[in-house]
Amino acid sequence: MAKGLPYFKFTSTEWLTGNICFEPLELQGLFINICALYWQRDGNLSISEIEQRYKKKHLIAKLTDRFFSLSDGFISIAFLDEQLIERQHV
């Protein structure tokens, strides 16, 4: 859990004005759930774990390369990675 930090920075303005706001609520909900799981796992989360947990491959595919990147089977969420890096310096 991000080195003991139980929450991540969430800017409501960025959420409400970002590209995610143009997506259906189901996709928005899936993304924020993935963000929470990603944070809880300290940024170590595989695409297969997401698919197994949420069983929504078609929706997960819509998020991939738009809201998170995929490399060697693991996802990366840029705004959370920035915070994880920041936390390591504190």
Side-chain angles (χ1 to χ4, degrees):
M1 188 179 333
K3 309 292 181 215
L5 190 62
Y7 56 88
F8 56 85
K9 295 175 191 175
F10 178 88
T11 307
S12 58
T13 302
E14 289 181 23
W15 181 268
L16 294 171
T17 61
N19 290 336
I20 193 71
C21 76
F22 298 107
E23 299 299 333
L25 290 175
E26 184 179 21
L27 194 65
Q28 291 180 41
L30 177 61
F31 180 59
I32 199 65
N33 273 277
I34 290 171
C35 287
L37 185 59
Y38 186 79
W39 187 258
Q40 191 268 333
R41 301 266 180 96
D42 291 320
N44 185 18
L45 183 60
S46 72
I47 194 74
S48 62
E49 290 174 295
I50 294 169
E51 291 171 349
Q52 182 179 20
R53 178 179 286 255
Y54 297 109
K55 299 183 183 10
K56 299 278 186 179
K57 284 187 177 187
H58 66 286
L59 291 178
I60 294 165
K62 290 182 179 185
L63 293 170
T64 305
D65 296 329
R66 293 185 59 219
F67 299 102
F68 61 76
S69 58
L70 186 59
S71 178
D72 295 326
F74 287 85
I75 71 162
S76 178
I77 303 173
F79 86 95
L80 291 178
D81 289 342
E82 290 172 11
Q83 292 181 49
L84 287 167
I85 291 167
E86 181 182 297
R87 295 303 305 166
Q88 290 175 358
H89 294 293
V90 175

